[in-house]
Amino acid sequence: MSIVGTGGDETDASEFVVSEQEAGRRLDQFLATALGGELSRSRLQSLIEDGQVRVDETPVLLPKRKVAAGETVRLAVPEPEAPEPVAEDIPLAILYEDEHLVVLDKPAGLVVHPGPGNWTGTLVNALLFHCGDTLSGIGGVKRPGIVHRLDKETSGVMVVAKSDAAHRSLAKQFAAHGQDGKMERAYQAVVWGVPSRPVGTVEASLGRSNSDRTKRQVVKDGRPDARHAVTHFEVLERFGTEGANAALIACVLETGRTHQIRVHMSHIGHPLIGDEVYGAHFRTKSKKLGEVGDVVAAFPRQALHAFRLAFEHPVSGEPMEFETELPDDMQELLEALARLEG
């Protein structure tokens, strides 16, 4: 048996190829072995009977159906039904609000919408309390008003739609990624090392990681899940000496892929300080920073802040621009790095 791959956003899907040794086994038995006991036989039988299993892209509804060598068996496990989010009195830093939209400064540590492990305490729960039933319903009950998102540990400016008309317009602007001249999304990040060029562009397609479906990686353009991604960066400030240095950079997105800045900067050898997903291998560099290294090593998140968001008001057409200062934790990180020699 060999694993072909996994994928899909709405379900947890896995594919397996039947080997010569496994030929002739019942479909439910084959899957039970392939999954290493992760799902019970009775659960697998129910999934098969519900149409969640395909053999060579053909749905198979009989658990006792025998598999043949070379066949590809695909199992899709639907996401469990999630509870509807409830309103929670969570403080929000509102930058602007009218009948069509809300602009806010999201703190690090706040998840945008409910999901596995975070059914409460999210931005959506806070918005339901703040806005009541006025949020746009286009995103569904789990993501009312949500037009875009920031990672849990990324801070910064977000816009939320309160009307369906605003949702449609803002979604169109985000989809254009600023190519229509209406929107700009800019970030500030603190990275390991100093890029060799003061201004540069990273253009590299992103896809799911081969080892972890929650991560992204740079992939070849021909891969089915490859998504074109472009990040422009500029070095704003340099810290330290050669071999023990860091930089504050600004990044402007030309595309908006999951974890784009984090993956792109790691790809060129400058992962974000505090990024345990894409930059954990750089943590040992903090030992070269002397007493400053203790502050850097203790930084609890990826040092990334969405400091600027500009867009066209979805109803009036008025240009709107919002900027926020770096949060306290990133300010303290920069102050520590400023104590480095050089």
Side-chain angles (χ1 to χ4, degrees), residues 307-323:
F307 80 95
R308 174 178 166 81
L309 178 63
F311 57 90
E312 183 180 276
H313 191 282
V315 177
S316 69
E318 177 188 358
M320 308 195 75
E321 300 179 7
F322 300 92
E323 290 191 6

Side-chain angles (χ1 to χ4, degrees), residues 10 14 28 39 47 58 60 137 143 152 185 205 231 247 251 253-254 307 313 335:
E10 301 302 326
S14 302
D28 56 348
L39 296 177
L47 289 170
T58 300
V60 176
R143 306 183 184 187
K152 174 183 177 181
R185 301 164 68 187
S205 294
T231 303
C251 294
L253 298 182
E254 191 173 309
F307 80 95
H313 191 282
E335 289 170 4

Side-chain angles (χ1 to χ4, degrees), residues 140-253:
V141 295
K142 305 297 188 302
R143 306 183 184 187
I146 301 300
V147 183
H148 68 122
R149 58 183 294 275
L150 296 175
D151 292 339
K152 174 183 177 181
E153 299 301 342
T154 298
S155 56
V157 186
M158 285 189 64
V159 60
V160 176
K162 292 176 66 176
S163 67
D164 289 351
H167 197 127
R168 285 188 287 268
S169 174
L170 289 169
K172 186 176 181 180
Q173 292 182 54
F174 275 100
H177 301 299
Q179 296 179 16
D180 57 2
K182 297 180 179 180
M183 176 168 287
E184 180 185 346
R185 301 164 68 187
Y187 296 71
Q188 289 182 333
V190 187
V191 300
W192 286 110
V194 179
S196 58
R197 295 172 294 166
V199 177
T201 297
V202 184
E203 184 170 2
S205 294
L206 302 181
R208 287 194 184 276
S209 166
N210 295 326
S211 59
D212 184 343
R213 68 188 303 270
T214 66
K215 296 172 58 177
R216 297 296 186 271
Q217 66 181 31
V218 170
V219 299
K220 294 183 178 179
D221 290 336
R223 221 172 82 163
D225 66 334
R227 298 292 181 268
H228 183 242
V230 181
T231 303
H232 305 285
F233 69 86
E234 177 183 1
V235 178
L236 302 178
E237 198 167 355
R238 298 166 174 79
F239 306 95
T241 56
E242 188 173 353
N245 49 26
L248 172 66
I249 65 170
C251 294
V252 175
L253 298 182

Side-chain angles (χ1 to χ4, degrees), residues 81-87 112-115 119 122-125 127-128 132 135-146 167:
E81 288 295 323
E84 291 190 12
V86 297
V112 170
H113 54 74
W119 296 119
T122 72
L123 176 60
V124 164
N125 298 108
L127 288 167
L128 288 172
L135 293 170
S136 166
I138 291 179
V141 295
K142 305 297 188 302
R143 306 183 184 187
I146 301 300
H167 197 127

